[in-house]
Amino acid sequence: MNVFHVHGSPAEFEREFANVSECMSTQPGFLHHRLLRAQDADTSYVNVAQWQDEQSLRDALARPEVIERLRPLAAFATARPTVCRPVLDRSSLGV
């Protein structure tokens, strides 16, 4: 999970994040992610990502192509990344 506080243009942040997303989705161990924007605050976003395991994420973050894609996000936002483990998972979708 990564909480972003955007201090630049939200539209530019979303474009840069889409660029990062494209790269991350090709990394070994990547399963899924969702970028959420707070309804009551134009400057708050949360990225919730699911990886096969923590090592896959760490390996991806160490790759030069990922580092290069992540770098421009710093111009638009500060981030607070946290690795979390599932405690409860419930869905009405039957999945």
Side-chain angles (χ1 to χ4, degrees), residues 19-41:
N19 189 33
V20 171
S21 173
E22 180 182 327
C23 182
M24 293 300 268
S25 67
T26 66
Q27 300 303 310
F30 175 85
L31 300 175
H32 172 267
H33 85 89
R34 178 178 285 168
L35 181 64
L36 306 167
R37 184 176 180 178
Q39 281 189 306
D40 60 349

Side-chain angles (χ1 to χ4, degrees), residues 58-94:
R58 295 195 185 285
D59 290 347
L61 292 173
R63 289 191 178 88
E65 68 270 20
V66 172
I67 293 167
E68 194 62 33
R69 295 266 185 125
L70 285 169
R71 191 168 283 129
L73 282 180
F76 301 103
T78 55
R80 193 181 75 220
T82 305
V83 175
C84 301
R85 64 178 175 78
V87 176
L88 176 66
D89 190 2
R90 181 176 296 139
S91 173
S92 64
L93 302 175

